[in-house]
């Protein structure tokens, strides 16, 4: 038995090799588990990392629970360090493997939070200190994989030990209790996954919990090999759980590597795989106490199915619920049970298990015979006592056949010498009965053997076949781990002729010599294959030229004809020939000449060059073809990778097919016919088309007339002809203009005009009075102007667009002094303009005066009428000015009368509306059944648009009927003679603001008749008076038809009743204008 140090060295070596050679995760985990379970203290087990110091420095707490919590943090940090190490040993390392950043939150919370974390990173190779982390030195190109694997293995093992220590599953916790005293005191309720040890107290066995991690202590007398099923009994209780895999049968073994419990059959199948055969397993059997009780107590009986010891009064087993049977049986039953456990293959005479359908050797099916009824699994019974004379040749019990590999073993061996699997426990038999032997008894060596029977020869042949097959499979698996193919393993065994050699080692030492020999044979054969014709040609030349020149030329020709084989070709030929070097050389030469012939058939006539590229590509025709084509593609590669533009296509080139091919390749036209169509259009006389325009038009259509129309579009502004691709149009209309006119129009509109003037320059659409159309139109226009306008003009356009959006804000104010607009977020009436620094009222928009402080806007206007001489001098003209025009779109106020024309255009936002009712003027009407074309608006019946035609006396009667007072005489101090009301006039295309200047009349309060009517209508609107009460019959009928009110005359209805009903219906169905200004 090797010592613990030797065991540690062996385990460490295997695990390190598996870690840095890319082994399976299960193998690495098994090695880590095996290393963690070695009974050695941390100071002796770990030679790279200071494990004991790290555990001491990172364990805190006054009790066991706090200490385990701190160890859990250490385990988490070790897990992160383990990932760093695995990344470095992985062949596909991450992109930024050279550095570890300190600002990584995971690094700060785990590795940087423990003592010794950075020291482990230094062991990995992160020795260069950076301002933001650690990195490898600049002269290190790759990490030291061997050293990193050794450090990573220790990190993984220490983490595994800490995890077992936290779960109380560590096999030797005393090593850590010695350095951490707080671990010696058990805390109640700390961990529910702790290991339960056997106790000899009287507590019933049913109250014990199953083990989470079974203990496994090695001694000098335990086990024959590391991969065999252990027969020691560290557990003193029976595991009542079912198998982890099948879930049917009871657990017979616990695997400490994969941490699962398996029944007998599942354990055999699962761990027969070579990569799991070295798992450390522990048998689950009855304790010695239970055995003694069962053997000496006459009041109990043992179940032959699950070996459960039951009370005598129980009829059924408490564990498996099988009835209690007698242990003895008839002779016929015993013979039948022995005969149904195996069957012999009729093809290869292999003796197979009864449950298998296919033969284990030849994989042929079992003959269709009715199998006898057998139980689902063989009963497990205690082993019977050995024979009186153990191991003698004549003793029937001295031989036993392994049911897995059919190898004949001799007692007292309990493990098969071939497959290292445990001997199955035979069923109990009567003393005088003997089971039928599966094979013929072989006498012991001292006795002279008899002539072997045919059955023995078949068994021997089976055994030899199985041995060789298993050995070959194992060698192939070992070779695959080292990168050696199965063909190389098989060929090396065949060539070496020695079954005891290691193929990988043989290939490493001998294969290169064999490949050199094959290359030399090929070169020699190629020299000898020089034809007689070539020799004769040089012989003839020798009579005409000096001998020295002829010799040099002959040597050069021979060197050119020598076939130089690559290592890859030689190796492939060696494998194909089964290791025969001469045959491999002949085959390689034939293959090379065939490939050269194939390349020459493709147009590459240089035979020497073909041989060279085949050697460089390892004999692959595809790779050789790529090497031969690379010089030919060099001009194309230079052209596509350089920054120079593509050379223009010369449409007058004589070869028209070449031009069409260029068009098809460069411009990706859909067909050959389109290429010919494009070329014919370009070759037309006096064709003003460019190549790009023609290609674009040909892509869209194949109709020649349509393409000509597309290529000859006339701009309606400059009257020049352009292709359709160089014309631009808006989404609101069908007009198209050239790109130059489009850019010039919108540049002038942005710089010199209002944003609402940015419409089509041909049809002046769309009508952007509607806010919904305005937003959608400008969102599309912004995309078109982005690539069309200069950057400074486009920026100005965005600025105006932003101002247009700000006008909609309720907190937006216009300065009454300088017409500057801004957002005011205060709550005071006095507002100071940011532009001119003058103040005005935020509510009535009038210039601010000190008398306005503390007064509402209405009180201030009343005070002004009574105390301001200038205001009194203006009379009702000042009233009309104060109640002037307010834009409903941007709320800008104009101190103007509404005048004669009701159409008003705001100078700030270009909104067109009626100054009497604030309804919009538009050319595209949104009212259903409207037949009016052109610019118009729809006015309510109380709008000045209709009431301005009434006589002042009629308006006075309307006001008197509703009890509203009005002025007929001018206020005291008012200047009379000429009307002083300010209004907007149209003079030669200009719209200046000036006084009315018309002659005033008596009884009109110092105003002209037009503005006196406006004054009376403002009173009607301020008091929401309905003028329909004074309608005549004709006016009533006209109003009903205008507002779509049914004016049908009922039968038998008199005129008064008819008009009264119409008036009431008009008032009820058609309300007054909702946008009419109603200031008081």
């Amino acid at each position: 038995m090797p010592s613990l140090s030797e065991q540690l060295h062996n385990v460490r070596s295997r695990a390190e090799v598996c870690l840095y050679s890319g082994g399976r995760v299960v193998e690495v985990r098994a090695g880590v588990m095996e290393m963690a379970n070695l009974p050695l203290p941390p100071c002796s087990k770990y030679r790279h990392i200071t494990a004991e110091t790290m555990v001491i420095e990172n364990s805190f707490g006054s009790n066991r629970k706090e200490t385990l919590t701190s160890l859990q943090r250490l385990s988490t940090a070790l897990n992160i360090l383990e990932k760093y190490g695995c990344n470095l040993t992985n062949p596909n390392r991450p992109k930024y493997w050279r550095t570890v950043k300190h600002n990584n939150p995971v690094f700060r919370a785990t590795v940087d939070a423990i003592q010794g974390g950075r020291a482990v990173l230094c062991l990995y190779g992160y020795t260069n200190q950076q301002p933001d982390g650690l990195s490898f030195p600049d002269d290190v190109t790759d990490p030291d994989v061997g050293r990193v694997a050794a450090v990573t293995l220790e990190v993984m093992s220490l983490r595994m030990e800490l995890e077992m220590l936290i779960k109380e599953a560590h096999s030797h916790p005393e090593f850590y209790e010695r350095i951490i005293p707080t671990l010696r005191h058990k805390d109640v309720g700390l961990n529910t996954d702790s290991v339960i040890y056997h106790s000899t107290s009287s507590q019933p066995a049913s109250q014990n919990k199953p083990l989470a991690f079974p203990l496994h202590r090695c001694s000098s007398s335990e086990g024959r090999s590391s991969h065999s099923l252990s027969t020691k009994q560290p557990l003193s209780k029976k595991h009542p759980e079912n198998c982890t895999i099948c879930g049917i049968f009871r657990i017979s073994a616990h695997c400490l590597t994969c941490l699962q419990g398996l029944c007998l059959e599942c354990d055999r199948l699962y761990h027969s795989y070579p990569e799991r055969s070295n798992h450390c397993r522990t048998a689950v059997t009855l304790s010695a106490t239970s055995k003694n009780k069962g053997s000496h107590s006459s009041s109990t009986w043992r179940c032959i199915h699950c070996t459960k010891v039951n009370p005598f009064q129980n009829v059924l087993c408490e564990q498996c619920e099988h009835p209690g049977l007698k242990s003895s049986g008839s002779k016929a039953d015993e013979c039948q049970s022995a005969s149904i456990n195996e069957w012999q293959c009729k093809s290869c005479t292999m003796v197979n298990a009864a449950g298998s359908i296919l033969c284990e050797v030849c994989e042929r099916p079992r003959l269709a015979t009715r199998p006898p009824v057998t139980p689902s699994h063989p009963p497990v019974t205690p082993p019977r006592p050995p024979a009186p004379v153990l191991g003698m040749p004549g003793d029937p019990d001295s031989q036993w056949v392994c049911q897995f590999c059919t190898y004949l073993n001799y007692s007292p061996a309990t493990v098969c010498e071939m497959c290292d699997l445990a001997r199955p426990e035979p069923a109990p038999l009567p003393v005088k009965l003997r089971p039928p032997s599966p094979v013929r008894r072989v006498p012991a060596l001292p006795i002279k053997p008899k002539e072997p029977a045919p059955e023995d020869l078949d068994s021997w042949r089976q055994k030899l076949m199985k041995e060789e097959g298993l050995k070959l499979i194992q060698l192939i698996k070992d070779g695959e781990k080292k990168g050696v193919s199965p063909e190389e393993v098989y060929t090396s065994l065949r060539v070496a002729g020695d079954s005891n050699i290691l193929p990988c080692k043989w290939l490493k030492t001998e294969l290169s010599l064999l490949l050199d020999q094959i290359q030399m044979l090929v070169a020699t054969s190629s020299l000898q294959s020089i034809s007689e014709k070539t020799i004769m040609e040089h012989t003839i030349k020798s009579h005409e030229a000096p001998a020295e020149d002829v010799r040099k030329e002959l040597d050069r020709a021979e060197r050119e004809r020598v076939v130089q084989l690559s290592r890859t070709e030689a190796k492939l030929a060696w494998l194909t020939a089964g290791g025969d070097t001469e045959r491999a050389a002949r085959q390689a030469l034939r293959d090379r000449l065939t490939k050269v012939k194939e390349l020459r058939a493709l147009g590459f006539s240089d035979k020497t060059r073909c041989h060279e590229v085949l050697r460089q590509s390892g004999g692959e025709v595809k790779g050789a073809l790529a090497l031969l084509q690379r010089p030919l593609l060099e001009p194309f590669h230079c052209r596509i990778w350089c920054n120079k533009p593509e050379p223009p296509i010369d449409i007058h080139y004589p070869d028209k097919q070449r031009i069409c091919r260029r068009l098809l390749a460069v411009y990706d036209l859909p067909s050959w016919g389109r290429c010919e169509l494009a070329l014919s259009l370009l070759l037309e006389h006096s064709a003003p088309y460019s190549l790009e325009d023609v290609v674009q038009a040909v892509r869209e259509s194949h109709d020649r007339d349509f393409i000509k129309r597309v290529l000859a579009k006339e701009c309606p502004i400059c009257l020049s002809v352009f292709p359709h691709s160089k014309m631009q149009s808006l989404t609101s209309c069908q007009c198209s203009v050239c790109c130059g006119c489009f850019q010039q129009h919108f540049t002038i509109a942005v710089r010199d005009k209002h944003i609402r003037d940015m419409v089509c320059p041909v049809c002046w659409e769309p009508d952007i009075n509607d806010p919904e159309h305005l937003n959608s139109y400008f969102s599309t226009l912004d995309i078109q102007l982005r690539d069309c306008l200069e950057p400074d003009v486009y920026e100005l356009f965005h600025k105006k667009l932003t101002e247009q959006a700000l006008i909609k804000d309720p907190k937006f104010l216009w300065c009454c002094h300088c017409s500057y607009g801004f957002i005011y977020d205060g709550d005071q009436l006095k507002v100071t303009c940011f532009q001119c620094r003058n103040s005005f009222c935020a509510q009535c928009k009038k210039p601010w005066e000190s008398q306005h402080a503390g007064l509402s806007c209405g009180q201030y206007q009343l005070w002004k009428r009574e105390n301001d001489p200038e205001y009194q001098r203006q009379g009702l003209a000042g009233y009309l000015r104060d109640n002037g025009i307010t834009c409903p779109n941007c709320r800008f106020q104009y101190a103007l009368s509404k005048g004669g024309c009701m159409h008003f255009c705001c100078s700030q936002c270009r909104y067109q509306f009626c100054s009497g009712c604030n309804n919009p003027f538009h050319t595209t009407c949104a009212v259903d059944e409207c037949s009016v074309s052109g610019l118009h608006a729809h006015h309510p019946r109380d709008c000045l648009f209709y009431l301005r035609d009434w006589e002042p006396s009629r308006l006075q009667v309307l006001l008197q009927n509703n009890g509203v007072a009005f002025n007929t005489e001018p206020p005291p101090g008012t200047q009379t003679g000429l009307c002083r009301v300010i209004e907007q006039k149209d003079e030669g295309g200009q719209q200046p603001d000036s006084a009315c200047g018309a002659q005033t009349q008596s009884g009109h309060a110092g105003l002209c008749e037009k503005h006196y009517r406006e004054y009376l209508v403002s009173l009607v609107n301020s008091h929401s008076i309905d003028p329909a009460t004074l309608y005549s019959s004709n006016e009533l009928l006209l109003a009903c038809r205008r507002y779509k009110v049914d004016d049908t005359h009922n039968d038998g209805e008199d005129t008064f009743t008819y008009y009264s009903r119409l008036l009431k219906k008009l008032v009820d169905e058609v309300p007054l204008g909702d946008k009419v200004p109603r200031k008081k």
Side-chain angles (χ1 to χ4, degrees), residues 706-719:
F706 174 78
I707 292 175
K708 285 187 175 182
R709 291 195 301 270
V710 168
L711 293 174
K713 290 279 186 178
E714 185 181 41
C715 176
I717 297 178
C718 64
L719 303 180

PDB file of all heavy atoms in Angstrom, residues 706-719:
ATOM      1  N   PHE A 706     -41.389  54.115 -71.269  1.00  0.00           N
ATOM      2  CA  PHE A 706     -41.550  54.592 -69.893  1.00  0.00           C
ATOM      3  C   PHE A 706     -40.204  55.079 -69.332  1.00  0.00           C
ATOM      4  O   PHE A 706     -40.135  56.101 -68.643  1.00  0.00           O
ATOM      5  CB  PHE A 706     -42.119  53.471 -69.024  1.00  0.00           C
ATOM      6  CG  PHE A 706     -42.191  53.814 -67.566  1.00  0.00           C
ATOM      7  CD1 PHE A 706     -43.195  54.634 -67.070  1.00  0.00           C
ATOM      8  CD2 PHE A 706     -41.238  53.325 -66.667  1.00  0.00           C
ATOM      9  CE1 PHE A 706     -43.250  54.952 -65.723  1.00  0.00           C
ATOM     10  CE2 PHE A 706     -41.296  53.635 -65.330  1.00  0.00           C
ATOM     11  CZ  PHE A 706     -42.304  54.458 -64.857  1.00  0.00           C
ATOM     12  N   ILE A 707     -39.143  54.355 -69.647  1.00  0.00           N
ATOM     13  CA  ILE A 707     -37.817  54.749 -69.154  1.00  0.00           C
ATOM     14  C   ILE A 707     -37.419  56.101 -69.743  1.00  0.00           C
ATOM     15  O   ILE A 707     -36.851  56.955 -69.049  1.00  0.00           O
ATOM     16  CB  ILE A 707     -36.784  53.665 -69.499  1.00  0.00           C
ATOM     17  CG1 ILE A 707     -37.084  52.390 -68.692  1.00  0.00           C
ATOM     18  CG2 ILE A 707     -35.375  54.139 -69.211  1.00  0.00           C
ATOM     19  CD1 ILE A 707     -36.202  51.225 -69.049  1.00  0.00           C
ATOM     20  N   LYS A 708     -37.754  56.319 -71.028  1.00  0.00           N
ATOM     21  CA  LYS A 708     -37.417  57.611 -71.623  1.00  0.00           C
ATOM     22  C   LYS A 708     -38.179  58.751 -70.955  1.00  0.00           C
ATOM     23  O   LYS A 708     -37.641  59.842 -70.764  1.00  0.00           O
ATOM     24  CB  LYS A 708     -37.720  57.571 -73.126  1.00  0.00           C
ATOM     25  CG  LYS A 708     -36.701  56.779 -73.945  1.00  0.00           C
ATOM     26  CD  LYS A 708     -36.975  56.926 -75.417  1.00  0.00           C
ATOM     27  CE  LYS A 708     -35.887  56.250 -76.243  1.00  0.00           C
ATOM     28  NZ  LYS A 708     -36.115  56.426 -77.698  1.00  0.00           N
ATOM     29  N   ARG A 709     -39.446  58.491 -70.625  1.00  0.00           N
ATOM     30  CA  ARG A 709     -40.217  59.523 -69.920  1.00  0.00           C
ATOM     31  C   ARG A 709     -39.639  59.780 -68.531  1.00  0.00           C
ATOM     32  O   ARG A 709     -39.624  60.921 -68.046  1.00  0.00           O
ATOM     33  CB  ARG A 709     -41.686  59.110 -69.822  1.00  0.00           C
ATOM     34  CG  ARG A 709     -42.414  59.118 -71.140  1.00  0.00           C
ATOM     35  CD  ARG A 709     -43.918  59.055 -70.929  1.00  0.00           C
ATOM     36  NE  ARG A 709     -44.326  57.869 -70.204  1.00  0.00           N
ATOM     37  CZ  ARG A 709     -44.647  56.709 -70.768  1.00  0.00           C
ATOM     38  NH1 ARG A 709     -44.598  56.593 -72.112  1.00  0.00           N
ATOM     39  NH2 ARG A 709     -45.015  55.687 -70.056  1.00  0.00           N
ATOM     40  N   VAL A 710     -39.188  58.718 -67.899  1.00  0.00           N
ATOM     41  CA  VAL A 710     -38.600  58.871 -66.563  1.00  0.00           C
ATOM     42  C   VAL A 710     -37.298  59.657 -66.641  1.00  0.00           C
ATOM     43  O   VAL A 710     -36.984  60.463 -65.753  1.00  0.00           O
ATOM     44  CB  VAL A 710     -38.392  57.484 -65.912  1.00  0.00           C
ATOM     45  CG1 VAL A 710     -37.521  57.592 -64.676  1.00  0.00           C
ATOM     46  CG2 VAL A 710     -39.725  56.857 -65.562  1.00  0.00           C
ATOM     47  N   LEU A 711     -36.544  59.446 -67.702  1.00  0.00           N
ATOM     48  CA  LEU A 711     -35.246  60.113 -67.835  1.00  0.00           C
ATOM     49  C   LEU A 711     -35.366  61.552 -68.346  1.00  0.00           C
ATOM     50  O   LEU A 711     -34.355  62.262 -68.377  1.00  0.00           O
ATOM     51  CB  LEU A 711     -34.346  59.311 -68.784  1.00  0.00           C
ATOM     52  CG  LEU A 711     -33.897  57.942 -68.281  1.00  0.00           C
ATOM     53  CD1 LEU A 711     -33.137  57.208 -69.371  1.00  0.00           C
ATOM     54  CD2 LEU A 711     -33.032  58.080 -67.042  1.00  0.00           C
ATOM     55  N   ALA A 712     -36.554  61.966 -68.754  1.00  0.00           N
ATOM     56  CA  ALA A 712     -36.727  63.326 -69.312  1.00  0.00           C
ATOM     57  C   ALA A 712     -37.888  64.019 -68.612  1.00  0.00           C
ATOM     58  O   ALA A 712     -38.970  64.184 -69.172  1.00  0.00           O
ATOM     59  CB  ALA A 712     -36.953  63.259 -70.816  1.00  0.00           C
ATOM     60  N   LYS A 713     -37.700  64.427 -67.370  1.00  0.00           N
ATOM     61  CA  LYS A 713     -38.695  65.163 -66.590  1.00  0.00           C
ATOM     62  C   LYS A 713     -38.353  66.656 -66.651  1.00  0.00           C
ATOM     63  O   LYS A 713     -37.198  67.039 -66.476  1.00  0.00           O
ATOM     64  CB  LYS A 713     -38.700  64.685 -65.141  1.00  0.00           C
ATOM     65  CG  LYS A 713     -39.260  63.284 -64.940  1.00  0.00           C
ATOM     66  CD  LYS A 713     -40.778  63.310 -64.924  1.00  0.00           C
ATOM     67  CE  LYS A 713     -41.332  61.940 -64.565  1.00  0.00           C
ATOM     68  NZ  LYS A 713     -42.794  61.951 -64.499  1.00  0.00           N
ATOM     69  N   GLU A 714     -39.382  67.483 -66.857  1.00  0.00           N
ATOM     70  CA  GLU A 714     -39.167  68.926 -66.941  1.00  0.00           C
ATOM     71  C   GLU A 714     -39.491  69.577 -65.603  1.00  0.00           C
ATOM     72  O   GLU A 714     -40.567  69.340 -65.030  1.00  0.00           O
ATOM     73  CB  GLU A 714     -40.036  69.538 -68.042  1.00  0.00           C
ATOM     74  CG  GLU A 714     -39.760  71.015 -68.252  1.00  0.00           C
ATOM     75  CD  GLU A 714     -40.648  71.607 -69.329  1.00  0.00           C
ATOM     76  OE1 GLU A 714     -41.854  71.262 -69.361  1.00  0.00           O
ATOM     77  OE2 GLU A 714     -40.155  72.408 -70.126  1.00  0.00           O
ATOM     78  N   CYS A 715     -38.587  70.400 -65.126  1.00  0.00           N
ATOM     79  CA  CYS A 715     -38.807  71.123 -63.876  1.00  0.00           C
ATOM     80  C   CYS A 715     -39.759  72.288 -64.160  1.00  0.00           C
ATOM     81  O   CYS A 715     -39.484  73.119 -65.047  1.00  0.00           O
ATOM     82  CB  CYS A 715     -37.478  71.630 -63.315  1.00  0.00           C
ATOM     83  SG  CYS A 715     -37.672  72.650 -61.828  1.00  0.00           S
ATOM     84  N   PRO A 716     -40.900  72.429 -63.435  1.00  0.00           N
ATOM     85  CA  PRO A 716     -41.857  73.516 -63.714  1.00  0.00           C
ATOM     86  C   PRO A 716     -41.343  74.891 -63.300  1.00  0.00           C
ATOM     87  O   PRO A 716     -41.979  75.894 -63.635  1.00  0.00           O
ATOM     88  CB  PRO A 716     -43.078  73.105 -62.898  1.00  0.00           C
ATOM     89  CG  PRO A 716     -42.544  72.238 -61.815  1.00  0.00           C
ATOM     90  CD  PRO A 716     -41.366  71.528 -62.377  1.00  0.00           C
ATOM     91  N   ILE A 717     -40.214  74.966 -62.604  1.00  0.00           N
ATOM     92  CA  ILE A 717     -39.708  76.265 -62.154  1.00  0.00           C
ATOM     93  C   ILE A 717     -38.631  76.773 -63.099  1.00  0.00           C
ATOM     94  O   ILE A 717     -38.726  77.885 -63.640  1.00  0.00           O
ATOM     95  CB  ILE A 717     -39.160  76.160 -60.721  1.00  0.00           C
ATOM     96  CG1 ILE A 717     -40.288  75.774 -59.759  1.00  0.00           C
ATOM     97  CG2 ILE A 717     -38.517  77.459 -60.281  1.00  0.00           C
ATOM     98  CD1 ILE A 717     -39.867  75.598 -58.322  1.00  0.00           C
ATOM     99  N   CYS A 718     -37.599  75.979 -63.352  1.00  0.00           N
ATOM    100  CA  CYS A 718     -36.512  76.416 -64.233  1.00  0.00           C
ATOM    101  C   CYS A 718     -36.649  75.887 -65.642  1.00  0.00           C
ATOM    102  O   CYS A 718     -35.833  76.230 -66.520  1.00  0.00           O
ATOM    103  CB  CYS A 718     -35.165  75.992 -63.659  1.00  0.00           C
ATOM    104  SG  CYS A 718     -34.939  74.201 -63.551  1.00  0.00           S
ATOM    105  N   LEU A 719     -37.657  75.015 -65.898  1.00  0.00           N
ATOM    106  CA  LEU A 719     -37.968  74.465 -67.224  1.00  0.00           C
ATOM    107  C   LEU A 719     -36.815  73.670 -67.812  1.00  0.00           C
ATOM    108  O   LEU A 719     -36.703  73.522 -69.036  1.00  0.00           O
ATOM    109  CB  LEU A 719     -38.377  75.589 -68.189  1.00  0.00           C
ATOM    110  CG  LEU A 719     -39.570  76.447 -67.746  1.00  0.00           C
ATOM    111  CD1 LEU A 719     -39.862  77.505 -68.789  1.00  0.00           C
ATOM    112  CD2 LEU A 719     -40.783  75.595 -67.481  1.00  0.00           C
TER     113      LEU A 719
END
